[in-house]
Amino acid sequence: MKLDTETIKYINTVVETAQLVGIDEVIIEPGMVRAIDADKTVVILQSENVPDMMFGSIGLNRIDTFRTRFDVAHTQDDFTLDATIEGDFVRSLTMKGKGTKIDYRCANPTTIGAPKGLRDEPAYEL
């Protein structure tokens, strides 16, 4: 399934944000973006303004690897991002551009240990 430009931009924004705060895996699912860092000190929970995706959920791990591959492919002419869906989640992404084809295997969202809510008072909110 070929992803539209808005979906690609949103995924890239989520990945950039996660990378900025030191998070290495993130889940984007209907109505929610969630992630937590390895030390369990930084959490991303977004439930407002999450666009409807063309798929169920996507689990992105190895954020640095994703960013490196995305940055290489994204600079090529005729860039496209295709998703391979298995069940209700994205299994892999194929990034294509002129003379370039890069695969990225996504994580199963159920294997990423990100909370669905907070029971603590946040120190900072953005």
Side-chain angles (χ1 to χ4, degrees), residues 55-104:
F55 46 81
S57 301
I58 184 170
L60 300 169
N61 59 351
R62 306 171 335 225
I63 294 290
D64 290 337
T65 301
F66 175 84
R67 283 289 302 177
T68 301
R69 293 177 185 181
F70 182 83
D71 288 345
V72 167
H74 191 258
T75 60
Q76 305 301 315
D77 292 334
D78 302 323
F79 173 75
T80 61
L81 185 60
D82 297 320
T84 302
I85 300 174
E86 182 178 293
D88 62 346
F89 67 94
V90 176
R91 172 52 68 196
S92 65
L93 296 171
T94 302
M95 303 170 215
K96 295 178 186 175
K98 185 175 182 180
T100 305
K101 179 181 176 187
I102 303 172
D103 291 322
Y104 173 82

Coordinates of all heavy atoms in Angstrom, one line a residue, residues 55-104:
F55 N -3.7 2.5 7.7 CA -3.5 1.1 8.2 C -3.9 1.1 9.7 O -4.2 2.2 10.3 CB -2.0 0.8 8.1 CG -1.0 1.9 8.5 CD1 -0.7 2.1 9.8 CD2 -0.5 2.7 7.5 CE1 0.1 3.1 10.2 CE2 0.4 3.7 7.9 CZ 0.7 3.9 9.2
G56 N -3.8 0.0 10.4 CA -4.1 -0.1 11.8 C -3.1 0.5 12.6 O -3.2 1.7 13.1
S57 N -2.0 -0.1 12.9 CA -0.9 0.3 13.7 C 0.4 0.1 13.1 O 0.6 -0.7 12.2 CB -0.9 -0.4 15.1 OG -2.1 -0.3 15.7
I58 N 1.4 0.9 13.5 CA 2.8 0.7 13.1 C 3.7 0.8 14.3 O 3.6 1.7 15.1 CB 3.2 1.7 12.0 CG1 4.6 1.4 11.4 CG2 3.1 3.1 12.4 CD1 5.0 2.1 10.2
G59 N 4.6 -0.1 14.4 CA 5.6 -0.1 15.5 C 7.0 0.2 14.8 O 7.4 -0.6 14.0
L60 N 7.6 1.3 15.2 CA 8.9 1.6 14.7 C 9.9 1.5 15.8 O 9.8 2.2 16.8 CB 8.9 3.1 14.2 CG 7.9 3.4 13.1 CD1 7.8 4.9 12.8 CD2 8.3 2.6 11.8
N61 N 10.9 0.6 15.6 CA 12.0 0.4 16.5 C 13.3 0.8 15.8 O 13.2 1.0 14.6 CB 12.0 -1.0 17.2 CG 12.2 -2.1 16.1 OD1 12.1 -1.9 14.9 ND2 12.4 -3.3 16.6
R62 N 14.4 0.8 16.5 CA 15.6 1.2 15.8 C 15.4 2.5 15.1 O 15.7 2.6 13.9 CB 16.1 0.1 14.9 CG 16.3 -1.3 15.5 CD 16.5 -2.3 14.5 NE 16.0 -1.9 13.2 CZ 15.3 -2.6 12.3 NH1 15.1 -3.7 12.5 NH2 14.8 -2.1 11.2
I63 N 15.0 3.5 15.8 CA 14.7 4.8 15.2 C 15.9 5.4 14.4 O 15.7 6.0 13.4 CB 14.2 5.8 16.3 CG1 12.9 5.3 17.0 CG2 14.1 7.2 15.8 CD1 11.7 5.5 16.1
D64 N 17.1 5.3 15.0 CA 18.2 5.8 14.2 C 18.4 5.1 12.9 O 18.7 5.8 11.9 CB 19.5 5.6 15.0 CG 19.6 6.5 16.3 OD1 18.9 7.5 16.3 OD2 20.3 6.2 17.2
T65 N 18.2 3.8 12.8 CA 18.2 3.1 11.5 C 17.2 3.6 10.6 O 17.4 3.8 9.4 CB 18.1 1.6 11.8 OG1 19.1 1.2 12.6 CG2 18.2 0.8 10.5
F66 N 15.9 3.7 11.1 CA 14.9 4.2 10.2 C 15.2 5.6 9.7 O 15.1 5.8 8.5 CB 13.5 4.3 11.0 CG 12.4 4.9 10.2 CD1 11.7 4.1 9.3 CD2 12.1 6.3 10.3 CE1 10.7 4.7 8.6 CE2 11.1 6.8 9.6 CZ 10.4 6.1 8.7
R67 N 15.7 6.5 10.6 CA 16.0 7.9 10.1 C 17.1 7.9 9.0 O 17.0 8.6 8.1 CB 16.4 8.7 11.3 CG 15.3 9.2 12.2 CD 14.5 10.2 11.5 NE 15.4 11.4 11.1 CZ 15.0 12.4 10.5 NH1 13.7 12.5 10.1 NH2 15.8 13.4 10.1
T68 N 18.1 7.1 9.2 CA 19.2 7.0 8.3 C 18.7 6.6 6.9 O 19.0 7.2 5.9 CB 20.3 6.1 8.7 OG1 20.8 6.5 10.0 CG2 21.4 6.0 7.7
R69 N 17.9 5.5 6.9 CA 17.4 5.0 5.7 C 16.4 5.9 5.0 O 16.4 6.1 3.8 CB 16.7 3.6 5.9 CG 17.7 2.6 6.3 CD 17.1 1.2 6.6 NE 18.1 0.3 7.0 CZ 17.9 -0.9 7.4 NH1 16.7 -1.5 7.3 NH2 18.9 -1.7 7.8
F70 N 15.5 6.5 5.8 CA 14.5 7.5 5.3 C 15.2 8.7 4.7 O 14.9 9.1 3.6 CB 13.6 7.9 6.5 CG 12.5 8.9 6.0 CD1 11.4 8.4 5.4 CD2 12.7 10.3 6.2 CE1 10.4 9.3 5.0 CE2 11.7 11.1 5.7 CZ 10.5 10.7 5.2
D71 N 16.2 9.2 5.4 CA 17.0 10.4 4.9 C 17.6 10.1 3.5 O 17.6 11.0 2.7 CB 18.0 10.9 5.9 CG 17.3 11.5 7.1 OD1 16.1 11.9 7.0 OD2 18.0 11.7 8.1
V72 N 18.2 8.9 3.4 CA 18.8 8.6 2.1 C 17.8 8.5 1.0 O 17.9 9.1 -0.1 CB 19.6 7.2 2.2 CG1 20.0 6.7 0.8 CG2 20.8 7.4 3.1
A73 N 16.7 7.8 1.2 CA 15.7 7.6 0.2 C 14.9 8.8 -0.1 O 14.5 9.1 -1.2 CB 14.7 6.4 0.6
H74 N 14.6 9.6 1.0 CA 13.7 10.8 0.8 C 14.3 11.9 -0.1 O 13.6 12.6 -0.7 CB 13.4 11.4 2.2 CG 12.4 12.4 2.2 ND1 12.7 13.7 2.3 CD2 11.0 12.3 2.1 CE1 11.5 14.4 2.3 NE2 10.5 13.6 2.2
T75 N 15.6 11.9 -0.2 CA 16.3 12.9 -1.0 C 16.3 12.6 -2.5 O 16.6 13.4 -3.3 CB 17.8 13.1 -0.6 OG1 18.4 11.9 -0.7 CG2 17.8 13.6 0.9
Q76 N 15.9 11.4 -2.8 CA 15.8 10.9 -4.2 C 14.6 11.4 -4.9 O 13.6 11.7 -4.3 CB 15.9 9.4 -4.3 CG 17.0 8.7 -3.6 CD 18.4 9.2 -4.1 OE1 18.6 9.3 -5.3 NE2 19.3 9.5 -3.2
D77 N 14.7 11.6 -6.2 CA 13.5 12.0 -7.0 C 12.5 10.9 -7.0 O 12.8 9.7 -6.9 CB 13.9 12.3 -8.5 CG 14.8 13.5 -8.6 OD1 14.7 14.4 -7.8 OD2 15.6 13.6 -9.6
D78 N 11.2 11.2 -7.1 CA 10.1 10.3 -7.2 C 10.0 9.4 -6.0 O 9.8 8.2 -6.0 CB 10.2 9.4 -8.5 CG 10.2 10.2 -9.7 OD1 9.5 11.3 -9.8 OD2 11.0 9.9 -10.7
F79 N 10.3 10.0 -4.8 CA 10.2 9.2 -3.5 C 8.8 8.7 -3.2 O 7.8 9.4 -3.3 CB 10.7 10.1 -2.4 CG 10.5 9.4 -1.0 CD1 11.4 8.4 -0.6 CD2 9.5 9.8 -0.2 CE1 11.3 7.8 0.6 CE2 9.4 9.2 1.1 CZ 10.3 8.2 1.5
T80 N 8.7 7.4 -2.9 CA 7.5 6.8 -2.4 C 7.8 6.0 -1.2 O 8.9 5.5 -1.0 CB 6.8 5.9 -3.5 OG1 7.7 4.9 -3.8 CG2 6.4 6.7 -4.7
L81 N 6.8 5.8 -0.3 CA 6.9 4.9 0.8 C 5.7 3.9 0.8 O 4.6 4.3 0.8 CB 6.9 5.7 2.1 CG 7.1 5.0 3.4 CD1 8.5 4.3 3.5 CD2 7.0 6.0 4.6
D82 N 6.1 2.6 0.7 CA 5.1 1.6 0.6 C 5.1 0.8 1.9 O 6.1 0.4 2.4 CB 5.3 0.6 -0.6 CG 5.3 1.4 -1.9 OD1 4.4 2.2 -2.1 OD2 6.1 1.1 -2.8
A83 N 3.9 0.4 2.3 CA 3.7 -0.4 3.6 C 3.2 -1.7 3.2 O 2.3 -1.9 2.4 CB 2.7 0.3 4.5
T84 N 3.8 -2.7 3.8 CA 3.3 -4.1 3.7 C 2.6 -4.4 5.0 O 3.2 -4.3 6.1 CB 4.5 -5.1 3.6 OG1 5.2 -4.8 2.4 CG2 4.0 -6.5 3.4
I85 N 1.3 -4.7 4.9 CA 0.4 -4.9 6.1 C 0.2 -6.4 6.3 O -0.1 -7.1 5.4 CB -0.9 -4.1 5.9 CG1 -0.6 -2.7 5.7 CG2 -1.8 -4.4 7.1 CD1 -1.7 -1.8 5.4
E86 N 0.3 -6.7 7.6 CA 0.1 -8.1 8.0 C -0.9 -8.0 9.2 O -0.6 -7.5 10.2 CB 1.4 -8.7 8.5 CG 1.3 -10.2 8.9 CD 2.6 -10.8 9.3 OE1 3.5 -10.9 8.4 OE2 2.8 -11.1 10.5
G87 N -2.1 -8.6 9.0 CA -3.1 -8.5 10.0 C -3.6 -7.0 10.2 O -4.0 -6.4 9.2
D88 N -3.4 -6.5 11.4 CA -3.8 -5.1 11.6 C -2.7 -4.1 11.8 O -2.9 -3.1 12.4 CB -4.8 -5.0 12.7 CG -4.2 -5.5 14.1 OD1 -3.1 -6.1 14.0 OD2 -4.8 -5.3 15.1
F89 N -1.4 -4.5 11.4 CA -0.3 -3.7 11.6 C 0.6 -3.7 10.4 O 0.6 -4.6 9.6 CB 0.4 -3.9 12.9 CG 1.1 -5.3 13.0 CD1 2.5 -5.4 12.6 CD2 0.5 -6.4 13.4 CE1 3.1 -6.6 12.6 CE2 1.1 -7.6 13.4 CZ 2.4 -7.7 13.1
V90 N 1.5 -2.7 10.3 CA 2.5 -2.6 9.2 C 3.6 -3.5 9.6 O 4.3 -3.4 10.6 CB 2.9 -1.2 9.0 CG1 4.0 -1.1 8.0 CG2 1.8 -0.3 8.6
R91 N 4.0 -4.5 8.7 CA 5.1 -5.4 8.9 C 6.4 -4.8 8.4 O 7.4 -4.9 9.0 CB 4.8 -6.7 8.2 CG 5.9 -7.7 8.1 CD 6.5 -8.0 9.4 NE 5.7 -8.8 10.3 CZ 5.9 -8.9 11.6 NH1 6.9 -8.4 12.2 NH2 5.1 -9.6 12.4
S92 N 6.3 -4.1 7.2 CA 7.6 -3.5 6.7 C 7.3 -2.3 5.8 O 6.1 -2.1 5.4 CB 8.4 -4.5 5.9 OG 7.6 -4.9 4.8
L93 N 8.3 -1.5 5.7 CA 8.2 -0.3 4.8 C 9.2 -0.4 3.7 O 10.3 -0.8 4.0 CB 8.4 1.0 5.6 CG 7.4 1.3 6.7 CD1 7.9 2.5 7.5 CD2 6.1 1.6 6.1
T94 N 8.8 0.0 2.5 CA 9.8 0.0 1.4 C 9.9 1.4 0.9 O 8.9 2.0 0.5 CB 9.3 -0.9 0.3 OG1 9.2 -2.3 0.8 CG2 10.3 -0.9 -0.9
M95 N 11.1 2.0 1.0 CA 11.3 3.4 0.5 C 12.0 3.3 -0.8 O 13.0 2.6 -1.0 CB 12.2 4.0 1.5 CG 11.7 4.0 3.0 SD 13.0 4.6 4.1 CE 12.6 3.5 5.5
K96 N 11.3 4.0 -1.8 CA 11.8 4.0 -3.1 C 12.0 5.4 -3.6 O 11.3 6.3 -3.3 CB 10.9 3.3 -4.1 CG 10.6 1.8 -3.8 CD 9.6 1.3 -4.7 CE 9.3 -0.2 -4.4 NZ 8.2 -0.7 -5.3
G97 N 13.1 5.6 -4.4 CA 13.4 6.8 -5.1 C 14.1 6.4 -6.4 O 14.4 5.3 -6.6
K98 N 14.4 7.4 -7.2 CA 15.1 7.1 -8.4 C 16.4 6.4 -8.1 O 17.4 7.0 -7.5 CB 15.4 8.5 -9.2 CG 16.0 8.3 -10.5 CD 16.1 9.6 -11.3 CE 16.7 9.3 -12.7 NZ 16.8 10.5 -13.4
G99 N 16.5 5.2 -8.6 CA 17.7 4.4 -8.4 C 18.0 3.8 -7.0 O 19.0 3.3 -6.7
T100 N 16.9 4.0 -6.1 CA 17.1 3.5 -4.7 C 15.9 2.7 -4.3 O 14.7 3.1 -4.6 CB 17.2 4.8 -3.8 OG1 18.3 5.6 -4.3 CG2 17.5 4.4 -2.4
K101 N 16.1 1.7 -3.6 CA 15.1 0.9 -2.9 C 15.6 0.4 -1.6 O 16.6 -0.3 -1.5 CB 14.6 -0.3 -3.8 CG 13.6 -1.1 -3.1 CD 13.2 -2.3 -4.0 CE 12.2 -3.2 -3.3 NZ 11.9 -4.4 -4.0
I102 N 15.0 0.8 -0.5 CA 15.5 0.5 0.8 C 14.3 -0.1 1.6 O 13.2 0.5 1.7 CB 16.0 1.8 1.6 CG1 17.1 2.4 0.8 CG2 16.5 1.4 3.0 CD1 17.6 3.7 1.3
D103 N 14.5 -1.2 2.3 CA 13.5 -1.9 3.1 C 13.8 -1.6 4.6 O 15.0 -1.5 5.0 CB 13.5 -3.4 2.8 CG 13.0 -3.8 1.5 OD1 12.1 -3.1 1.0 OD2 13.5 -4.7 0.9
Y104 N 12.7 -1.5 5.3 CA 12.8 -1.4 6.8 C 11.8 -2.3 7.4 O 10.6 -2.1 7.1 CB 12.6 0.1 7.2 CG 12.5 0.3 8.6 CD1 13.6 0.4 9.4 CD2 11.2 0.4 9.3 CE1 13.5 0.6 10.8 CE2 11.1 0.6 10.6 CZ 12.3 0.7 11.4 OH 12.2 0.8 12.7

